[in-house]
Amino acid sequence: MDSESALLSGFEPYVASVEDLATAALRSSSISRSEQIDFDLLDGQAAVRLRDTTALDTRRSRGAFFSSTRLRSFALAEEPSSGGSCIATLDPAVGAGDLLIEVARRMPVSHDLVQTLQQWGLLLHGRDLEPEFVRLTKARLVMLAVSRGATENGDVSTDLGQFFPQIRVGDGLELLDSGWVGGHVVMNPPFTYHLADEGTSWTSGRTNLAATFLAAFCQNARPGTKLTAILPDVIRTGSRYARLRSLACEQIHISSVEPFGRFDDWADVDVFVLRGMARAPQPNTSEVKWWPGRPGRTLGDRFDVHVGPVVPHRDIEYGPKHPYLDARSVPLGGEFDSSDADLGGFQRRLFRPPFVLVRRTSRPGDKSRGVGTVVVGSQDVLVENHLIVLKPKDGLIHTCRRAAELLGSRYAKAWLDERIRCRHLTVRALRELRWFDS
Ligand SMILES: C[S@@+](CC[C@H](N)C(=O)[O-])C[C@H]1O[C@@H](n2cnc3c(N)ncnc32)[C@H](O)[C@@H]1O
């Protein structure tokens, strides 16, 4: 633990400075709000200091990315704006406390600092593996109370360590697994990857830790416990997490699934907010809209959709030569005659033109996202796995051209951007794209 903690040593002086402010407030009988509070302290400063003092690799390895004010208020927008949050609330991966700060903004406050902190301390629960983050969370909560008007202090003998006994260093997953008893779980868990335990019912192998936090809530939360979770978009849209989504539908009454967009200017990952309430398990009736609906006929009704099978750094060339199409050789959009392609000798499934190719790698908002290239020619061809092949069921080039037109439309771009916020397109998402006449 010591050498691990040392990795945050550059950040520690900042934590100590915020603790000094909190301690000074606790030692004064009358606190001046303007003298004490630098408002950045409650709004983004911790994230800036962490970025300035701690290497990106270290932050990534811990999943230490704090919610911005915009994101945390978006996540908790449905909570009553004041006086409503009088239920015990846990953040199992508390970081610098940004979500709990948003919760505490809505809690009752009195002029008396110690009294306010004691009341908040009964309700606010948190865990983090990093002691510095836990210390900072507590100190920031003290400063929040001051900023909200708790500027008198009837007991100047108290010290910081006495407050927030339920915000502690520890493993939040363990706490969720043990069935934490309380009213509301708020979380923006780490988005790092880990290997799922053997025998996990909804996943295996490399799994996003945020998914494991969500599953721990689903499987262990007492009925009636609310959930507000900021999660990476791959959980909303990735085929890999379909079983987790089903588990969530069985165990949670899901009230909303709301895409937010990019986490912030520094963490290039799209997130969404899941809100709901744990309940006794019920069959998954699939009423939850994880992505926009798809009435009518779809592209998948007219095309067989496959990922290109050739993985060039893995497959060995020892077979007969065929035109070989990869993301570098095929132009974006328009029509391409496969007889102009270089040859490859991979022993993989061949595709007979006409068909449409779409690049798998793309990010939401990219102009090239989903753009289709119609491939013509008379020979069977090999396709690399950065490309998706759309093979018309009716075998007609006309149908391919219609698909390319559809894929190039503003409608398709907007739909794909909402359906899949990850950096690649999936076969399933393309199949679900609504066809013109439906
Ligand atoms: C994405 S940050 C979120 C912090 C905070 N909830 C927010 O929204 O700003 C995730 C935090 O989880 C912590 N963490 C990672 N694994 C954890 C675990 N098993 N138990 C508790 N905290 C953990 C990291 O140290 C990091 O502070």
Side-chain angles (χ1 to χ4, degrees):
M1 188 57 144
D2 279 354
S3 62
E4 289 271 300
S5 293
L7 292 174
L8 290 179
S9 59
F11 186 60
E12 200 283 335
Y14 171 66
V15 175
S17 71
V18 181
E19 283 181 327
D20 286 348
L21 284 177
T23 302
L26 288 166
R27 300 265 157 82
S28 322
S29 52
S30 170
I31 309 146
S32 151
R33 275 200 256 183
S34 54
E35 270 169 34
Q36 295 283 349
I37 305 277
D38 171 353
F39 281 91
D40 287 351
L41 181 69
L42 301 171
D43 182 6
Q45 191 181 75
V48 173
R49 292 302 175 94
L50 187 67
R51 279 199 300 277
D52 288 350
T53 58
T54 309
L56 180 60
D57 282 354
T58 307
R59 285 181 276 135
R60 278 211 182 117
S61 68
R62 285 157 177 69
F65 296 91
F66 304 147
S67 304
S68 63
T69 305
R70 192 168 81 82
L71 175 55
R72 71 193 193 198
S73 50
F74 175 88
L76 290 159
E78 290 177 11
E79 296 304 306
S81 58
S82 67
S85 281
C86 287
I87 52 174
T89 301
L90 164 70
D91 183 341
V94 75
D98 285 276
L99 290 177
L100 289 190
I101 285 175
E102 197 59 36
V103 170
R105 274 190 199 288
R106 294 157 158 85
M107 284 181 168
V109 66
S110 75
H111 288 303
D112 189 283
L113 179 61
V114 167
Q115 231 177 50
T116 301
L117 296 178
Q118 280 168 345
Q119 279 166 4
W120 290 5
L122 296 174
L123 299 174
L124 296 176
H125 297 231
R127 290 291 182 279
D128 203 289
L129 298 177
E130 302 297 337
E132 285 80 3
F133 293 165
V134 172
R135 287 167 52 199
L136 184 56
T137 295
K138 294 184 182 198
R140 289 176 86 206
L141 285 166
V142 172
M143 299 318 288
L144 173 71
V146 175
S147 81
R148 289 195 55 209
T151 49
E152 285 159 25
N153 192 352
D155 182 0
V156 292
S157 64
T158 49
D159 79 34
L160 189 52
Q162 288 171 248
F163 297 104
F164 304 110
Q166 302 300 338
I167 300 177
R168 299 187 204 153
V169 177
D171 187 335
L173 259 182
E174 274 176 19
L175 185 58
L176 289 175
D177 282 340
S178 70
W180 174 75
V181 182
H184 191 178
V185 172
V186 293
M187 60 164 132
N188 163 22
F191 299 176
T192 46
Y193 280 83
H194 74 131
L195 281 183
D197 290 343
E198 293 259 315
T200 303
S201 61
W202 54 271
T203 187
S204 61
R206 194 167 175 272
T207 299
N208 196 302
L209 198 49
T212 303
F213 270 76
L214 173 61
F217 177 90
C218 294
Q219 289 167 325
N220 303 295
R222 317 243 161 156
T225 311
K226 273 170 70 169
L227 174 69
T228 304
I230 298 168
L231 298 166
D233 222 64
V234 66
I235 294 178
R236 183 176 69 90
T237 54
S239 345
R240 200 176 190 309
Y241 296 103
R243 274 151 78 191
L244 174 60
R245 289 194 291 273
S246 220
L247 176 70
C249 291
E250 284 161 20
Q251 306 277 353
I252 308 176
H253 170 72
I254 294 177
S255 52
S256 64
V257 172
E258 215 179 339
F260 173 77
R262 187 173 160 148
F263 184 81
D264 65 17
D265 289 344
W266 294 271
D268 186 11
V269 55
D270 278 294
V271 296
F272 73 102
V273 175
L274 176 66
R275 302 186 191 89
M277 186 177 279
R279 64 175 179 200
Q282 284 182 19
N284 172 15
T285 52
S286 292
E287 276 162 14
V288 175
K289 282 210 157 87
W290 296 95
W291 48 76
R294 51 172 185 122
R297 274 173 294 165
T298 63
L299 193 124
D301 293 329
R302 287 165 187 259
F303 286 81
D304 291 320
V305 187
H306 308 271
V307 172
V310 177
V311 184
H313 64 268
R314 202 181 60 197
D315 293 351
I316 302 164
E317 292 194 62
Y318 62 94
K321 301 279 185 191
H322 296 275
Y324 169 52
L325 307 182
D326 63 14
R328 271 172 305 168
S329 59
V330 175
L332 192 66
E335 292 195 11
F336 180 69
D337 189 331
S338 59
S339 60
D340 292 339
D342 290 341
L343 301 181
F346 303 102
Q347 288 282 77
R348 288 286 180 179
R349 177 181 171 174
L350 298 163
F351 294 90
R352 168 74 50 95
F355 53 80
V356 181
L357 288 178
V358 174
R359 281 161 172 73
R360 278 174 80 196
T361 317
S362 71
R363 59 178 57 224
D366 274 359
K367 271 200 190 137
S368 60
R369 190 165 221 224
V371 168
T373 307
V374 177
V375 177
V376 295
S378 52
Q379 285 173 277
D380 289 344
V381 302
L382 287 160
V383 181
E384 193 238 344
N385 87 328
H386 282 95
L387 295 169
I388 297 178
V389 184
L390 277 57
K391 185 95 181 81
K393 292 185 179 175
D394 60 11
L396 295 177
I397 190 164
H398 170 73
T399 311
C400 293
R401 288 179 181 142
R402 293 275 287 158
E405 192 189 326
L406 173 66
L407 288 162
S409 68
R410 295 234 305 266
Y411 158 74
K413 269 194 194 352
W415 190 89
L416 286 171
D417 279 357
E418 197 169 334
R419 167 67 177 80
I420 185 148
R421 303 288 306 174
C422 315
R423 304 290 172 257
H424 59 271
L425 294 178
T426 61
V427 164
R428 192 189 288 192
L430 283 173
R431 279 195 193 124
E432 288 175 2
L433 184 63
R434 199 145 51 90
W435 193 253
F436 294 96
D437 50 359
S438 33

